Amino acid sequence: MSTGAAGMTNGARAQQREQTRRTLLRESRRLFATRGYGAVGLSEIVRAASVTKGALYHHFDSKADLFRAVLEEVQQEVAQMVAATDEAEDDPWEQLTSGCRAFLTASTDPDVQRIMLVDGPAVLGWNEWRALDEAASARHLGEALTTLIEVGTIARQPVAPLAHLLSGAMNEAALWLAGSSNHGEVNPGDLADTWAALSRMLEALRIG
């Protein structure tokens, strides 16, 4: 009986710890997105999450570590949105183009702009930010290109450099859209022009 009670207690504690972690992620994400990483202090985060600094340090080593977790969450959400978009298409080429367009569209979200594109590379450094990006989206892009090469839509060539070039082009396009936005609002004309330019780049890859 006492063992069962202890098990329930441990289970409740684990659930509470997970709830605390989720709350910290939610509140810090809100603050990072609206005010930027540099303007948000740990005291403000723990106050918004209604926890102690000790509870925060139980889950995260520092503000940068907390931001890294928030960034991973945002990148995974964007990657899932892209995957869901291209999986809705049957044709491999349409899967690639719809996925690329979904990425650009997702990057117009002000929260995504601030966390993933503006503060992400600045806070974590380019190498770590790039590694997270590859884990979230670039791998999926590589798989799509591999399929297109196998079915003969794209000329046979090494996939890794091509995937990095396209990923870099899309990230730069997304950064440009973020920089040209007005208080987080992207001009629809800018998005249309960016997609048109990227679409022409993609079309140049097709055989014939």
PDB file of all heavy atoms in Angstrom, residues 15-29:
ATOM      1  N   GLN A  15       4.604  14.764 -12.963  1.00  0.00           N
ATOM      2  CA  GLN A  15       3.613  15.530 -13.718  1.00  0.00           C
ATOM      3  C   GLN A  15       3.721  17.018 -13.405  1.00  0.00           C
ATOM      4  O   GLN A  15       3.616  17.862 -14.307  1.00  0.00           O
ATOM      5  CB  GLN A  15       2.209  15.021 -13.381  1.00  0.00           C
ATOM      6  CG  GLN A  15       1.106  15.656 -14.222  1.00  0.00           C
ATOM      7  CD  GLN A  15      -0.262  15.046 -13.925  1.00  0.00           C
ATOM      8  OE1 GLN A  15      -0.426  14.316 -12.945  1.00  0.00           O
ATOM      9  NE2 GLN A  15      -1.231  15.335 -14.766  1.00  0.00           N
ATOM     10  N   GLN A  16       3.978  17.324 -12.131  1.00  0.00           N
ATOM     11  CA  GLN A  16       4.119  18.724 -11.744  1.00  0.00           C
ATOM     12  C   GLN A  16       5.363  19.347 -12.377  1.00  0.00           C
ATOM     13  O   GLN A  16       5.340  20.485 -12.834  1.00  0.00           O
ATOM     14  CB  GLN A  16       4.197  18.846 -10.222  1.00  0.00           C
ATOM     15  CG  GLN A  16       4.246  20.283  -9.727  1.00  0.00           C
ATOM     16  CD  GLN A  16       4.282  20.374  -8.219  1.00  0.00           C
ATOM     17  OE1 GLN A  16       4.763  19.464  -7.535  1.00  0.00           O
ATOM     18  NE2 GLN A  16       3.777  21.463  -7.667  1.00  0.00           N
ATOM     19  N   ARG A  17       6.461  18.574 -12.397  1.00  0.00           N
ATOM     20  CA  ARG A  17       7.689  19.081 -13.018  1.00  0.00           C
ATOM     21  C   ARG A  17       7.484  19.354 -14.512  1.00  0.00           C
ATOM     22  O   ARG A  17       7.933  20.370 -15.035  1.00  0.00           O
ATOM     23  CB  ARG A  17       8.827  18.079 -12.815  1.00  0.00           C
ATOM     24  CG  ARG A  17       9.402  18.057 -11.407  1.00  0.00           C
ATOM     25  CD  ARG A  17      10.715  17.308 -11.383  1.00  0.00           C
ATOM     26  NE  ARG A  17      10.554  15.908 -11.712  1.00  0.00           N
ATOM     27  CZ  ARG A  17      10.335  14.942 -10.826  1.00  0.00           C
ATOM     28  NH1 ARG A  17      10.214  15.247  -9.536  1.00  0.00           N
ATOM     29  NH2 ARG A  17      10.226  13.687 -11.206  1.00  0.00           N
ATOM     30  N   GLU A  18       6.774  18.444 -15.176  1.00  0.00           N
ATOM     31  CA  GLU A  18       6.510  18.623 -16.594  1.00  0.00           C
ATOM     32  C   GLU A  18       5.605  19.825 -16.832  1.00  0.00           C
ATOM     33  O   GLU A  18       5.795  20.587 -17.781  1.00  0.00           O
ATOM     34  CB  GLU A  18       5.876  17.363 -17.178  1.00  0.00           C
ATOM     35  CG  GLU A  18       5.538  17.446 -18.663  1.00  0.00           C
ATOM     36  CD  GLU A  18       6.742  17.768 -19.535  1.00  0.00           C
ATOM     37  OE1 GLU A  18       7.880  17.443 -19.140  1.00  0.00           O
ATOM     38  OE2 GLU A  18       6.552  18.353 -20.626  1.00  0.00           O
ATOM     39  N   GLN A  19       4.629  20.011 -15.953  1.00  0.00           N
ATOM     40  CA  GLN A  19       3.740  21.165 -16.073  1.00  0.00           C
ATOM     41  C   GLN A  19       4.520  22.465 -15.874  1.00  0.00           C
ATOM     42  O   GLN A  19       4.301  23.452 -16.597  1.00  0.00           O
ATOM     43  CB  GLN A  19       2.616  21.074 -15.033  1.00  0.00           C
ATOM     44  CG  GLN A  19       1.632  22.249 -15.059  1.00  0.00           C
ATOM     45  CD  GLN A  19       0.925  22.377 -16.407  1.00  0.00           C
ATOM     46  OE1 GLN A  19       0.523  21.371 -16.982  1.00  0.00           O
ATOM     47  NE2 GLN A  19       0.795  23.602 -16.895  1.00  0.00           N
ATOM     48  N   THR A  20       5.444  22.459 -14.922  1.00  0.00           N
ATOM     49  CA  THR A  20       6.280  23.637 -14.691  1.00  0.00           C
ATOM     50  C   THR A  20       7.121  23.944 -15.916  1.00  0.00           C
ATOM     51  O   THR A  20       7.255  25.102 -16.336  1.00  0.00           O
ATOM     52  CB  THR A  20       7.199  23.418 -13.472  1.00  0.00           C
ATOM     53  OG1 THR A  20       6.392  23.227 -12.309  1.00  0.00           O
ATOM     54  CG2 THR A  20       8.121  24.608 -13.263  1.00  0.00           C
ATOM     55  N   ARG A  21       7.701  22.910 -16.519  1.00  0.00           N
ATOM     56  CA  ARG A  21       8.528  23.100 -17.707  1.00  0.00           C
ATOM     57  C   ARG A  21       7.694  23.678 -18.857  1.00  0.00           C
ATOM     58  O   ARG A  21       8.134  24.601 -19.548  1.00  0.00           O
ATOM     59  CB  ARG A  21       9.162  21.775 -18.131  1.00  0.00           C
ATOM     60  CG  ARG A  21      10.155  21.902 -19.278  1.00  0.00           C
ATOM     61  CD  ARG A  21      10.797  20.555 -19.609  1.00  0.00           C
ATOM     62  NE  ARG A  21      11.879  20.727 -20.568  1.00  0.00           N
ATOM     63  CZ  ARG A  21      11.722  20.821 -21.872  1.00  0.00           C
ATOM     64  NH1 ARG A  21      10.492  20.764 -22.392  1.00  0.00           N
ATOM     65  NH2 ARG A  21      12.757  20.988 -22.672  1.00  0.00           N
ATOM     66  N   ARG A  22       6.504  23.135 -19.062  1.00  0.00           N
ATOM     67  CA  ARG A  22       5.638  23.630 -20.138  1.00  0.00           C
ATOM     68  C   ARG A  22       5.254  25.091 -19.905  1.00  0.00           C
ATOM     69  O   ARG A  22       5.190  25.888 -20.841  1.00  0.00           O
ATOM     70  CB  ARG A  22       4.380  22.765 -20.258  1.00  0.00           C
ATOM     71  CG  ARG A  22       4.625  21.386 -20.863  1.00  0.00           C
ATOM     72  CD  ARG A  22       3.324  20.784 -21.370  1.00  0.00           C
ATOM     73  NE  ARG A  22       2.355  20.624 -20.305  1.00  0.00           N
ATOM     74  CZ  ARG A  22       2.195  19.516 -19.578  1.00  0.00           C
ATOM     75  NH1 ARG A  22       2.959  18.463 -19.816  1.00  0.00           N
ATOM     76  NH2 ARG A  22       1.280  19.451 -18.643  1.00  0.00           N
ATOM     77  N   THR A  23       4.969  25.433 -18.632  1.00  0.00           N
ATOM     78  CA  THR A  23       4.605  26.818 -18.305  1.00  0.00           C
ATOM     79  C   THR A  23       5.764  27.762 -18.568  1.00  0.00           C
ATOM     80  O   THR A  23       5.583  28.854 -19.123  1.00  0.00           O
ATOM     81  CB  THR A  23       4.169  26.919 -16.833  1.00  0.00           C
ATOM     82  OG1 THR A  23       3.056  26.040 -16.595  1.00  0.00           O
ATOM     83  CG2 THR A  23       3.765  28.345 -16.479  1.00  0.00           C
ATOM     84  N   LEU A  24       6.976  27.347 -18.186  1.00  0.00           N
ATOM     85  CA  LEU A  24       8.156  28.168 -18.443  1.00  0.00           C
ATOM     86  C   LEU A  24       8.362  28.381 -19.937  1.00  0.00           C
ATOM     87  O   LEU A  24       8.674  29.486 -20.386  1.00  0.00           O
ATOM     88  CB  LEU A  24       9.386  27.514 -17.824  1.00  0.00           C
ATOM     89  CG  LEU A  24       9.525  27.661 -16.303  1.00  0.00           C
ATOM     90  CD1 LEU A  24      10.580  26.689 -15.772  1.00  0.00           C
ATOM     91  CD2 LEU A  24       9.904  29.094 -15.933  1.00  0.00           C
ATOM     92  N   LEU A  25       8.190  27.323 -20.712  1.00  0.00           N
ATOM     93  CA  LEU A  25       8.341  27.439 -22.155  1.00  0.00           C
ATOM     94  C   LEU A  25       7.291  28.370 -22.741  1.00  0.00           C
ATOM     95  O   LEU A  25       7.594  29.219 -23.588  1.00  0.00           O
ATOM     96  CB  LEU A  25       8.251  26.060 -22.811  1.00  0.00           C
ATOM     97  CG  LEU A  25       9.470  25.151 -22.655  1.00  0.00           C
ATOM     98  CD1 LEU A  25       9.160  23.760 -23.198  1.00  0.00           C
ATOM     99  CD2 LEU A  25      10.678  25.735 -23.378  1.00  0.00           C
ATOM    100  N   ARG A  26       6.048  28.219 -22.297  1.00  0.00           N
ATOM    101  CA  ARG A  26       4.964  29.043 -22.839  1.00  0.00           C
ATOM    102  C   ARG A  26       5.173  30.520 -22.516  1.00  0.00           C
ATOM    103  O   ARG A  26       5.065  31.370 -23.403  1.00  0.00           O
ATOM    104  CB  ARG A  26       3.630  28.569 -22.263  1.00  0.00           C
ATOM    105  CG  ARG A  26       2.434  29.333 -22.842  1.00  0.00           C
ATOM    106  CD  ARG A  26       1.128  28.935 -22.186  1.00  0.00           C
ATOM    107  NE  ARG A  26       1.055  29.380 -20.805  1.00  0.00           N
ATOM    108  CZ  ARG A  26       1.029  28.537 -19.754  1.00  0.00           C
ATOM    109  NH1 ARG A  26       1.064  27.220 -19.935  1.00  0.00           N
ATOM    110  NH2 ARG A  26       0.959  29.012 -18.519  1.00  0.00           N
ATOM    111  N   GLU A  27       5.472  30.823 -21.259  1.00  0.00           N
ATOM    112  CA  GLU A  27       5.610  32.219 -20.860  1.00  0.00           C
ATOM    113  C   GLU A  27       6.873  32.861 -21.423  1.00  0.00           C
ATOM    114  O   GLU A  27       6.855  34.021 -21.839  1.00  0.00           O
ATOM    115  CB  GLU A  27       5.585  32.330 -19.331  1.00  0.00           C
ATOM    116  CG  GLU A  27       4.258  31.957 -18.701  1.00  0.00           C
ATOM    117  CD  GLU A  27       3.119  32.824 -19.233  1.00  0.00           C
ATOM    118  OE1 GLU A  27       3.315  34.032 -19.422  1.00  0.00           O
ATOM    119  OE2 GLU A  27       2.023  32.276 -19.481  1.00  0.00           O
ATOM    120  N   SER A  28       7.969  32.125 -21.435  1.00  0.00           N
ATOM    121  CA  SER A  28       9.199  32.696 -21.992  1.00  0.00           C
ATOM    122  C   SER A  28       9.060  32.892 -23.496  1.00  0.00           C
ATOM    123  O   SER A  28       9.555  33.877 -24.045  1.00  0.00           O
ATOM    124  CB  SER A  28      10.402  31.799 -21.676  1.00  0.00           C
ATOM    125  OG  SER A  28      10.246  30.503 -22.218  1.00  0.00           O
ATOM    126  N   ARG A  29       8.376  31.982 -24.148  1.00  0.00           N
ATOM    127  CA  ARG A  29       8.149  32.142 -25.587  1.00  0.00           C
ATOM    128  C   ARG A  29       7.332  33.400 -25.858  1.00  0.00           C
ATOM    129  O   ARG A  29       7.655  34.168 -26.782  1.00  0.00           O
ATOM    130  CB  ARG A  29       7.425  30.918 -26.142  1.00  0.00           C
ATOM    131  CG  ARG A  29       7.056  31.051 -27.618  1.00  0.00           C
ATOM    132  CD  ARG A  29       6.509  29.746 -28.157  1.00  0.00           C
ATOM    133  NE  ARG A  29       6.051  29.865 -29.543  1.00  0.00           N
ATOM    134  CZ  ARG A  29       5.707  28.845 -30.321  1.00  0.00           C
ATOM    135  NH1 ARG A  29       5.797  27.608 -29.851  1.00  0.00           N
ATOM    136  NH2 ARG A  29       5.299  29.043 -31.557  1.00  0.00           N
TER     137      ARG A  29
END
